[in-house]
Amino acid sequence: MLPTIAWQGEEIVMVDQRKLPAAEIYVTCKSVNDIAKAIKTMVIRGAPAIGVCAAMGLALGAARSKATGTKQFTTEFQRNCDLLAATRPTAVNLFWAIERMKRAFSDGALAGESVDQLKARLRTEADRLHDDDVASCRAIGAHGAALVPQEATILTHCNAGALATAGYGTALGVIRGAVEAGKKVCVLADETRPFLQGARLTAWELVKDGIDTTVITDNMAGSIMRQGDIDLVVVGADRIAANGDFANKIGTYPVAVLAKEHGIPFYVAAPWSTIDLSTRDGDAIPIEERDPREVTHVGSNQLAPEGAHIRNPSFDVTPNKYITAIITERGVHRAPFIESLADAGSGH
Ligand code: MRU
């Protein structure tokens, strides 16, 4: 499995996803500031991976603290939480992971633990969060594999793979699960302008796994669907609202509309940490606007002229009516999502 992010002694190492596939370079983070920068600049990206990275960053920040008393240690921890929460707004996994770390901290503080005990507790919680994410992806893969025909061409958008999680992937977890179940799968990877996560990252990790992969530009999907050459679509998500509306990489919404028009099943695969029952629908999901340079340039090559206005919303919202099913580690959830998600969320 690909090493998305890992401890190396007291430091955190991650593959630089901005550089793939041309170069496999690893970035070492020695402080919580390094971690915040890595998330903001997309060294690491993908909703579950961002959450895991933030949790590990909080454990790293705590381990590096020179505080001798719990008062100062608590102030630093809170500041680190705020720093990480300000990195990327759309992926709810980031806020979910920070909340989980805050809960671990307050459990320890309430039990009267020392600074060293709190440090150990945060490290344990971050490790658990990392391992839970891999386990969730594997369960998503197993549930999703059952939905894939014995022979299938599957379209995916962006990268919801091992690189976007602690390992194995969500949408690509479904694909890996189907392949492991002996199904004959061909993958069509949308290139995913502007950051090209599909062409660069999805194709890289699938080819590495020996899975048949074809890269297409984003504007080819409709025509290929009309020719009858796509059996199903599976994508990841950055935030799924209580009613099933979800935010994912810009360009997901048109794929969903096209799939419905052509009668092609459209699945969303995500861990439960992506479900945000406190957000009622897609209109309430904050959408990140990123640097215009991602649109005007590819690498150092300028595509658009100086003086042109640029828009760069990084995510779009797909209304629930386009979704065939949402696949989480808790099972396969179908419409009405307001009920199926609430049911799956109760008792946890
Ligand atoms: O901007 P990114 O690369 O972080 O966006 C990633 C996506 O939109 C993914 O599809 C989503 O996070 C799901 S990852 C399992």
Side-chain angles (χ1 to χ4, degrees):
M1 202 183 292
L2 294 164
T4 311
I5 181 165
W7 290 100
Q8 201 167 72
E10 292 296 292
E11 297 169 349
I12 295 170
V13 179
M14 58 191 88
V15 64
D16 189 340
Q17 300 195 28
R18 300 165 307 179
K19 302 281 185 342
L20 289 170
E24 198 172 322
I25 291 170
Y26 288 81
V27 169
T28 302
C29 295
K30 298 179 194 270
S31 67
V32 69
N33 287 328
D34 290 349
I35 290 286
K37 190 168 167 219
I39 296 174
K40 212 172 174 58
T41 60
M42 312 252 290
V43 170
I44 187 163
R45 34 61 55 201
I50 292 170
V52 169
C53 181
M56 291 170 72
L58 288 172
L60 174 69
R64 287 293 160 104
S65 172
K66 302 252 186 304
T68 46
T70 49
K71 191 155 180 262
Q72 191 194 339
F73 188 66
T74 305
T75 306
E76 282 179 17
F77 176 73
Q78 187 54 53
R79 203 174 51 222
N80 291 343
C81 290
D82 294 346
L83 173 76
L84 291 167
T87 51
R88 296 196 69 192
T90 304
V92 75
N93 313 61
L94 171 66
F95 308 99
W96 171 87
I98 292 170
E99 279 311 309
R100 198 165 136 175
M101 294 298 281
K102 279 185 178 172
R103 230 173 11 251
F105 189 100
S106 65
D107 286 351
L110 279 173
E113 289 182 357
S114 66
V115 166
D116 282 346
Q117 286 171 317
L118 287 169
K119 287 180 181 181
R121 179 185 278 272
L122 291 171
R123 173 63 188 263
T124 303
E125 188 65 3
D127 288 348
R128 200 176 286 146
L129 204 139
H130 177 286
D131 295 350
D132 286 354
D133 188 59
V134 180
S136 295
C137 287
R138 287 204 169 269
I140 289 166
H143 291 306
L147 304 168
V148 176
Q150 195 53 39
E151 284 195 19
T153 296
I154 303 178
L155 177 72
T156 190
H157 190 75
C158 193
N159 172 265
L163 289 166
T165 60
Y168 202 72
T170 57
L172 299 196
V174 170
I175 288 166
R176 290 193 165 97
V179 170
E180 284 165 20
K183 299 187 175 177
K184 190 171 177 307
V185 173
C186 298
V187 178
L188 286 178
D190 275 348
E191 67 169 350
T192 317
R193 276 279 292 151
F195 209 64
L196 303 173
Q197 291 94 329
R200 296 188 302 104
L201 308 176
T202 293
W204 184 74
E205 58 171 277
L206 290 180
V207 167
K208 237 175 153 51
D209 272 10
I211 297 173
D212 186 315
T213 304
T214 302
V215 176
I216 59 171
T217 61
D218 299 335
N219 50 4
M220 293 176 188
S223 171
I224 299 175
M225 285 184 187
R226 201 174 74 79
Q227 288 160 8
D229 290 342
I230 295 176
D231 298 300
L232 66 98
V233 180
V234 61
V235 297
D238 285 80
R239 191 185 293 232
I240 301 174
N243 72 342
D245 294 353
F246 75 104
N248 191 46
K249 182 52 54 193
I250 191 79
T252 302
Y253 170 55
V255 172
V257 175
L258 283 165
K260 195 174 180 75
E261 173 66 20
H262 293 92
I264 297 168
F266 181 93
Y267 297 109
V268 182
W272 196 260
S273 54
T274 307
I275 310 280
D276 180 8
L277 295 179
S278 68
T279 293
R280 64 180 192 287
D281 62 30
D283 290 343
I285 299 176
I287 301 294
E288 178 182 12
E289 281 274 345
R290 290 189 62 84
D291 189 344
R293 197 184 155 88
E294 289 179 356
V295 174
T296 56
H297 289 66
V298 172
S300 57
N301 289 334
Q302 185 170 345
L303 305 176
E306 305 286 344
H309 299 295
I310 303 295
R311 291 201 56 190
N312 189 16
S314 196
F315 302 96
D316 58 24
V317 170
T318 299
N320 59 22
K321 67 177 178 181
Y322 295 105
I323 305 170
T324 307
I326 297 172
I327 308 160
T328 73
E329 66 273 33
R330 297 185 189 175
V332 176
H333 317 287
R334 294 185 188 268
F337 295 107
I338 191 88
E339 287 170 19
S340 58
L341 293 178
D343 283 353
S346 65
H348 284 272

